[in-house]
């Protein structure tokens, strides 16, 4: 009877292992970029963190940027801490995540400590990311990266800069400001329709360096903060040679 071979074939197909006819799983798309990092505040025990499939090491400096590092892995980018379990085995656990937009090849990552409440969830850092191309501007200049939800105005000598909320603006000293050498600086932020003072200081106009200025909402202090990172564009002039005494 033709029914029996059909029934046998049907039962054979029904009880085959599930993975036998399964389609091969597609690999998750990988992202690749170069990054430099800095931490505005240290988290005890997390001076070194890890990233990528090979768990490469990132030592988080707090004064200057780290050396450029290559990332190749899944999206988003996850950073890990490391500890030992009860049996003494090393295990990695996520401490921060950042979504770097596709197409960016060079990125600056700024690590901020999270509040105690957020840290209880395991998220120890908030990461701010910036296209590294924005760090390329003339010596003596400042590039203001406003990561807050309010406008920020800066007066440098007699020059004025407006960095609107969630945007950036570049300051390049004019001839008068450059010649002044050291000029007064005031930074204000807009709050409920009025301008409030954030910082009052003096800056030196040095054509050998430029400075990235981050304006951000500090998750621990719960207020707007300002932090500048200086990049040296050229080596300082050599010291004059001392004449030998006879």
């Amino acid at each position: 009877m033709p029914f029996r071979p059909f029934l046998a074939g049907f039962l054979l197909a029904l009880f085959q292992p599930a993975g036998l006819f399964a389609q091969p799983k597609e690999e998750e798309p990988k992202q690749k970029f170069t990054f430099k990092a800095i931490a505005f505040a240290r988290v005890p025990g997390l001076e070194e963190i890890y990233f990528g499939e090979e768990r490469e090491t990132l030592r988080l400096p707090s004064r200057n940027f780290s050396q450029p590092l290559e990332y190749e892995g899944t999206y988003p980018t996850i950073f890990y801490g490391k500890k030992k379990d009860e049996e003494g085995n090393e295990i990695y656990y996520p401490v921060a995540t950042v979504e770097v937009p596709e197409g960016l090849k060079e990125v600056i990552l700024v690590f901020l400590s999270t509040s105690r409440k957020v840290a209880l969830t395991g998220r120890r850092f908030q990461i701010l990311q910036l296209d590294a191309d924005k760090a390329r501007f003339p010596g003596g200049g400042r590039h203001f990266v406003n990561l807050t939800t309010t406008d920020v105005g800066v007066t440098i000598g007699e020059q004025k800069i407006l960095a609107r909320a969630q945007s950036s603006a570049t300051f390049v000293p004019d001839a008068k400001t450059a010649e002044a050498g050291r000029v007064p600086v005031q930074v204000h932020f807009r709050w409920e329709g009025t301008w409030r003072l954030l910082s009052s200081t003096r800056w030196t106009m040095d054509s050998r360096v430029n400075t990235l200025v981050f304006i951000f909402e500090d998750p621990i202090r719960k207020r707007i903060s300002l932090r500048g990172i200086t990049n040296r564009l050229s080596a300082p002039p050599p010291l004059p040679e001392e004449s030998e005494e006879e």
Side-chain angles (χ1 to χ4, degrees), residues 191-209:
W191 181 259
E192 296 181 347
T194 62
W195 289 97
R196 297 189 179 185
L197 182 65
L198 176 62
S199 175
S200 181
T201 183
R202 298 181 72 87
W203 284 349
T204 300
M205 300 293 107
D206 187 344
S207 61
R208 296 170 300 177
V209 299

Side-chain angles (χ1 to χ4, degrees), residues 114-118 217-225:
T114 56
S115 65
R116 291 183 179 180
K117 182 178 180 180
V118 174
E217 296 172 1
D218 192 313
I220 295 180
R221 297 179 180 179
K222 304 296 184 183
R223 63 180 178 84
I224 295 177
S225 294

